[in-house]
Amino acid sequence: MGKSLHEGPMKLPKLPDPRYWVSWVPFGLGKVKPKHVRETAKAVWDNKDNLSYAGRILTKGVCDGCALGVAGLKDQTLTGPHLCTTRLNVLRLNTMPAIKDEVLLRDVKELRKLSSSELRELGRIPYPLSRKPGQSRFERISWDDAFGKIAAKIKSVDPKQLALFLTARGMTNESYYVAGKVARFLGSNNIDNSSRICHSPSKTALKRSIGVGASTCSYRDWIGSDVLLFWGSVAANNQPVSTKYMYAAKRKGTKIIMINPHYEPSMEKYWIPSIPESALFGTKLADDVYQVNIGGDIAFMNGIMKHWFVMEERERGSAIDHSFVKAHTNGLAQLRKHVEKQSWEALERSAGISKSRMLELAELLANSKSAVFVWSMGLTQHRFGTDNISQVANLAMLRGFIGRKNCGLMPIRGHSGVQGAGEMGADPFVLPGGEFDDINRKRVEGVWKFEIPRWQGDTVGVSLENALLHEGHKQKTKVFYTTGGNFLETMPNPDYVQKCLENVELRIHQDIILNTSALVDAKEEVIILPSMTRFEQPGGGTSTSTERMVYFSPEIKGHRIGQARPEWQIYVDIAKLVKPEQANLIEFTDAQSIREEIAVANKNYEGIQNLRDTGDVFQWGGAYLCEDGMCPTEDGRGQLLPIELPELRKSEGEFFVTTRRGKQFNSMIYGKDDPFNGADRYDVLLHKEDAGELGIRDGEAVVVYNKHGVFHGRARFDNTRRGNISLYWPEGNVVIPKGVYEKYARIPEYNTTVVVEKADTFHAKKDTKYVERQMDDLETEIS
């Protein structure tokens, strides 16, 4: 992969620089911004019943928040302490007490009145639970009873009727690996993880473009790069610790560019609490912002390349790194022909960006010697997400921005567990160490000593839909085993998802807390299994960060909850009951034995077996993937791919809509107000001029609707691209279409078109103009 090693943490400048200050007013008084001091004080208060344990988690454990890889209070990028409000918000999940019996065992109708945030605040699940149709309450059952029921049901169904899902909630590589192995041991390839709805297109696109589905560089490469581009990524909100890296990059002269339909205030200015200068006066982050249409990124990137090819006609080498392209890529002629035939009119219309603005970014990149491209769900959560990412790879390869210092491609991860999920094989399309193909399957079978089923497994969205198949169908999902995950609040069209969940015969929810999905009925039974957090896992556990750092997080002595068991141990115990005659093939003695097997099954993880103590870490693949331009493809070259413009149709009066995060961590909401713009979670963010044309006033009640659903909210004027609006996620999922998946990675589509009207106008004509959506015929429900 590469020979260079990560150079370790850098030091921040000691002297302040007022050029980057937001305001001379200390602490941003009077401005809409996160209240870091208040948030820290609240975290202390929330954890007052377990402060010593909370302190040990923060100082000894690896952060179970975003995937920036903070171990204790330190990381591998910058010296000094690192602590963000996201980590403090998540902390309470690990320190809270068990749910009281009188609360947990009350009428489920009462529990259903609570939001997921309110359910979370009840506490941890202390023991196994069961509820059958007609029962008004959960009942406490023993582990043996729970295991017996689950094993008996799995035995009774076709393996294709069993599906498993794993969230990224503090999950360790050990748990992902064991779950992937257990699924195949039980004969099912229907196993998926939460990257399906975030970065699955990143992995798929990078695999086909450069041969490896991971970040090619490290956060350290941000610092000193000429340009740092955030494309469809609001790192300041979703990965707050990253603002410290942005600050360091700014002080080194790096230009930060943001490309997003919404002018994100958190990327414009931020008060970084761990840097005294920034905590006092704030830091200006983005140097320029390109407000692209939702779905218009491919056109924007084609426009940049079209400018480059024009520049090349005037002067060879003025835009393209010909030595890199000639030595390390294929497909330049085809890409150039494809880009040059596209009209400026079509590119501008699709992108929402003018030709002259495209030229500005094209020239900036052409005149830069280094650049790092960072992206997130603004690029991936589309029905053409893989194509979006291959376009980013095209830009990087044409300029030679791969495989060297201060350059690279980085899909920034939003959760500390998710990078390792696919690399451990908890994915229908991959096995540990490689793809789901004959060669890798035979290799892994040699490690596992049992046969892996040959058929292609389904992604989680399809597995849920398959619960609605007719009774005799061989792929009808009858047993759904989910570790974490709240599908009512992560998948499009929650009403439809609820019907899917209700049609599963046996659902197993393995989790640390209750959520709304666990309260939905099943046809035969719902079983809830209490699991341990990563900090409670005996023998510790590992997680893989965005930059491929594999960290060891030790077991933290102290707080334990009822009968909660290690995630991986639960999978093993069930598998042994299903196939007792082959129990020896799935047995693990402890977490260390899992790490030793991972090192054999996935060669990139050689060294994971040596991680034993607090602070132990290694980076698989070295500092740079594709070092010196050598890609791990058959011919060692990257593939430049012509990408067609997606069809973006909206009728007169419609808006493109996408979803936005507020004060939350993934689907876990920690506040109703957005700390960066003051918006409520039911506010509809739209441009003032668009609202004016509709006669809508700021704060006025509006209805956002299409054939998929109806969203009731209030207009909030904001700096979003005209013709585009934003709704908060997951509240806005009601208007997102069900069953629309990306062609290659099968991520659900999270963007659509809608009509926005005043609430009184909508209701006045509802009976005569707007037709309520009907339950589709079953044949059209299943993709």
Side-chain angles (χ1 to χ4, degrees):
M1 290 288 186
K3 298 179 181 178
S4 298
L5 298 178
H6 195 281
E7 297 176 3
M10 302 172 65
K11 292 183 178 180
L12 284 168
K14 293 183 178 180
L15 297 177
D17 191 337
R19 290 180 300 169
Y20 303 113
W21 291 0
V22 172
S23 169
W24 286 80
V25 178
F27 301 109
L29 295 175
K31 297 184 180 295
V32 178
K33 59 181 285 293
K35 306 296 191 292
H36 293 116
V37 174
R38 184 185 303 172
E39 290 289 316
T40 302
K42 182 179 182 300
V44 173
W45 178 259
D46 289 343
N47 292 279
K48 62 183 181 297
D49 58 348
N50 219 339
L51 273 179
S52 60
Y53 184 64
R56 290 196 294 276
I57 288 175
L58 292 178
T59 56
K60 296 180 181 295
V62 172
C63 176
D64 54 346
C66 72
L68 270 68
V70 177
L73 298 176
K74 298 181 180 180
D75 65 16
Q76 301 299 310
T77 306
L78 291 168
T79 57
H82 306 288
L83 185 62
C84 72
T85 53
T86 295
R87 188 178 183 189
L88 291 174
N89 284 332
V90 176
L91 179 61
R92 187 55 177 164
L93 292 177
N94 302 288
T95 66
M96 65 174 62
I99 307 175
K100 295 179 180 178
D101 289 355
E102 59 268 27
V103 174
L104 182 57
L105 302 179
R106 67 174 143 173
D107 195 309
V108 74
K109 291 180 181 179
E110 295 301 312
L111 291 173
R112 285 173 178 161
K113 294 178 182 178
L114 303 178
S115 67
S116 281
S117 296
E118 292 167 328
L119 288 170
R120 182 175 68 240
E121 292 171 0
L122 296 179
R124 293 272 299 278
I125 303 168
Y127 43 72
L129 298 163
S130 166
R131 192 173 67 83
K132 297 176 181 177
Q135 290 184 324
S136 61
R137 292 173 172 80
F138 283 99
E139 64 175 355
R140 179 175 181 172
I141 59 175
S142 68
W143 276 103
D144 287 344
D145 192 9
F147 284 164
K149 291 182 175 186
I150 295 169
K153 185 63 179 179
I154 291 175
K155 284 182 179 181
S156 73
V157 302
D158 188 296
K160 291 183 179 180
Q161 297 173 327
L162 165 66
L164 297 88
F165 174 84
L166 291 86
T167 186
R169 179 255 317 132
M171 295 287 289
T172 61
N173 287 324
E174 291 82 353
S175 295
Y176 284 126
Y177 179 82
V178 173
K181 183 176 181 180
V182 163
R184 274 63 186 233
F185 177 77
L186 297 176
S188 180
N189 284 321
N190 297 327
I191 180 168
D192 208 355
N193 66 82
S194 59
S195 70
R196 187 64 50 210
I197 60 173
C198 58
H199 271 296
S200 54
S202 299
K203 179 182 69 176
T204 306
L206 292 177
K207 277 275 189 179
R208 76 176 184 179
S209 291
I210 61 171
V212 60
S215 173
T216 67
C217 60
S218 306
Y219 299 118
R220 202 180 193 278
D221 292 300
W222 294 12
I223 305 165
S225 180
D226 288 346
V227 183
L228 179 58
L229 291 95
F230 289 91
W231 211 308
S233 169
V234 189
N237 190 6
N238 298 323
Q239 297 94 2
V241 173
S242 69
T243 56
K244 193 168 184 177
Y245 310 156
M246 293 184 222
Y247 170 89
K250 295 283 289 188
R251 294 298 303 269
K252 281 277 190 176
T254 300
K255 288 188 178 299
I256 297 179
I257 306 297
M258 178 173 68
I259 303 164
N260 210 58
H262 182 250
Y263 195 108
E264 294 288 349
S266 66
M267 293 293 289
E268 179 187 24
K269 51 195 176 185
Y270 199 93
W271 284 258
I272 306 167
S274 57
I275 300 175
E277 174 194 13
S278 181
L280 273 172
F281 304 112
T283 301
K284 299 174 184 175
L285 296 177
D287 293 279
D288 202 355
V289 179
Y290 293 83
Q291 290 185 261
V292 66
N293 273 334
I294 295 167
D297 306 280
I298 289 173
F300 188 13
M301 287 183 264
N302 274 334
I304 292 170
M305 289 186 281
K306 190 175 177 72
H307 276 304
W308 283 351
F309 292 131
V310 171
M311 294 163 66
E312 283 293 314
E313 290 178 0
R314 300 185 192 132
E315 181 183 354
R316 180 177 169 80
S318 61
I320 307 297
D321 184 338
H322 289 282
S323 60
F324 182 93
V325 170
K326 182 178 180 180
H328 301 297
T329 71
N330 298 318
L332 176 62
Q334 296 91 327
L335 177 61
R336 181 166 189 166
K337 181 179 178 180
H338 168 74
V339 169
E340 288 182 336
K341 73 179 182 181
Q342 298 181 40
S343 71
W344 283 114
E345 180 184 10
L347 295 176
E348 287 180 316
R349 182 173 59 253
S350 180
I353 301 288
S354 68
K355 176 182 176 181
S356 59
R357 283 286 279 158
M358 293 182 194
L359 178 60
E360 290 177 19
L361 186 53
E363 289 180 335
L364 174 63
L365 292 172
N367 294 325
S368 299
K369 295 181 180 179
S370 58
V372 177
F373 297 82
V374 182
W375 69 88
S376 192
M377 288 174 281
L379 286 188
T380 60
Q381 286 186 333
H382 290 271
R383 66 185 184 278
F384 40 84
T386 297
D387 284 346
N388 274 340
I389 310 310
S390 283
Q391 276 285 77
V392 180
N394 283 341
L395 295 179
M397 285 188 282
L398 288 174
R399 290 292 302 132
F401 292 154
I402 294 179
R404 57 187 176 90
K405 190 174 182 179
N406 297 132
C407 293
L409 297 164
M410 179 177 285
I412 191 168
R413 296 287 193 168
H415 205 299
S416 64
V418 73
Q419 178 68 36
E423 293 168 353
M424 296 298 103
D427 187 301
F429 302 125
V430 300
L431 291 167
E435 301 302 296
F436 190 80
D437 54 31
D438 289 339
I439 295 176
N440 195 48
R441 187 167 54 240
K442 290 178 181 178
R443 182 187 64 80
V444 177
E445 285 177 341
V447 178
W448 289 351
K449 309 302 182 187
F450 60 80
E451 187 173 301
I452 297 170
R454 266 48 178 171
W455 50 274
Q456 176 58 58
D458 289 325
T459 59
V460 63
V462 175
S463 290
L464 283 169
E465 291 178 357
N466 284 351
L468 296 177
L469 290 169
H470 64 80
E471 190 59 38
H473 201 291
K474 290 185 178 180
Q475 286 182 263
K476 179 180 176 64
T477 303
K478 294 185 176 182
V479 181
F480 186 63
Y481 192 135
T482 177
T483 304
N486 187 353
F487 302 99
L488 294 181
E489 299 184 12
T490 55
M491 299 295 286
N493 201 318
D495 289 345
Y496 174 69
V497 172
Q498 180 165 336
K499 292 183 178 69
C500 297
L501 292 172
E502 289 171 340
N503 274 275
V504 175
E505 293 179 1
L506 173 64
R507 285 203 331 272
I508 304 102
H509 293 261
Q510 179 174 310
D511 214 332
I512 63 173
I513 55 174
L514 288 177
N515 66 45
T516 53
S517 291
L519 304 180
V520 173
D521 289 339
K523 290 180 73 174
E524 294 180 1
E525 190 169 6
V526 174
I527 293 177
I528 297 178
L529 304 177
S531 56
M532 289 180 165
T533 69
R534 70 166 56 172
F535 307 114
E536 297 164 354
Q537 181 173 295
T542 61
S543 62
T544 307
S545 74
T546 292
E547 54 186 349
R548 297 173 280 106
M549 293 281 185
V550 184
Y551 288 88
F552 180 79
S553 187
E555 177 184 0
I556 307 296
K557 300 296 183 184
H559 183 66
R560 295 296 181 267
I561 293 294
Q563 298 180 16
R565 296 188 179 186
E567 307 262 23
W568 64 264
Q569 187 67 62
I570 299 172
Y571 307 136
V572 169
D573 289 344
I574 292 172
K576 288 162 63 177
L577 284 176
V578 176
K579 293 186 175 182
E581 72 282 359
Q582 295 180 288
N584 63 302
L585 299 179
I586 203 69
E587 180 68 271
F588 288 101
T589 56
D590 52 25
Q592 178 60 29
S593 66
I594 302 172
R595 290 189 282 274
E596 289 171 359
E597 187 170 301
I598 290 172
V600 176
N602 187 336
K603 293 299 183 183
N604 288 334
Y605 276 73
E606 169 60 38
I608 191 173
Q609 72 276 25
N610 300 323
L611 305 182
R612 298 173 185 270
D613 298 317
T614 301
D616 284 356
V617 60
F618 75 95
Q619 185 178 34
W620 74 256
Y624 312 109
L625 301 185
C626 306
E627 188 166 0
D628 299 326
M630 298 300 296
C631 296
T633 56
E634 288 186 8
D635 60 2
R637 292 170 171 266
Q639 307 300 313
L640 294 166
L641 300 171
I643 303 297
E644 297 291 340
L645 294 185
E647 186 178 20
L648 301 174
R649 292 191 297 177
K650 64 183 178 79
S651 302
E652 185 70 25
E654 287 187 332
F655 290 84
F656 293 122
V657 64
T658 192
T659 55
R660 168 180 167 77
R661 308 320 186 246
K663 185 174 175 55
Q664 64 194 94
F665 178 60
N666 295 336
S667 64
M668 292 188 291
I669 298 166
Y670 286 97
K672 66 185 183 77
D673 295 327
D674 189 325
F676 296 107
N677 62 7
D680 179 85
R681 298 198 64 85
Y682 284 88
D683 281 347
V684 178
L685 308 185
L686 77 166
H687 196 281
K688 182 178 181 179
E689 293 181 20
D690 286 333
E693 291 179 357
L694 297 172
I696 295 173
R697 298 187 301 272
D698 194 22
E700 190 168 21
V702 295
V703 177
V704 178
Y705 68 90
N706 56 20
K707 65 180 181 180
H708 310 295
V710 183
F711 178 87
H712 297 268
R714 292 192 176 275
R716 185 178 184 90
F717 296 170
D718 211 333
N719 193 352
T720 189
R721 176 81 199 171
R722 287 208 63 184
N724 300 260
I725 68 168
S726 294
L727 302 176
Y728 281 87
W729 181 92
E731 291 84 353
N733 282 355
V734 293
V735 298
I736 303 299
K738 68 179 186 296
V740 179
Y741 299 106
E742 197 265 351
K743 179 180 178 181
Y744 304 101
R746 306 296 290 167
I747 190 173
E749 167 74 275
Y750 280 89
N751 305 273
T752 188
T753 58
V754 294
V755 175
V756 180
E757 291 180 352
K758 290 183 178 182
D760 54 1
T761 302
F762 172 84
H763 291 296
K765 67 183 182 183
K766 182 176 180 180
D767 294 335
T768 58
K769 181 179 178 183
Y770 180 68
V771 179
E772 289 281 13
R773 56 194 172 121
Q774 302 293 319
M775 177 64 180
D776 295 337
D777 184 86
L778 184 60
E779 293 297 322
T780 65
E781 293 282 307
I782 307 301
S783 64

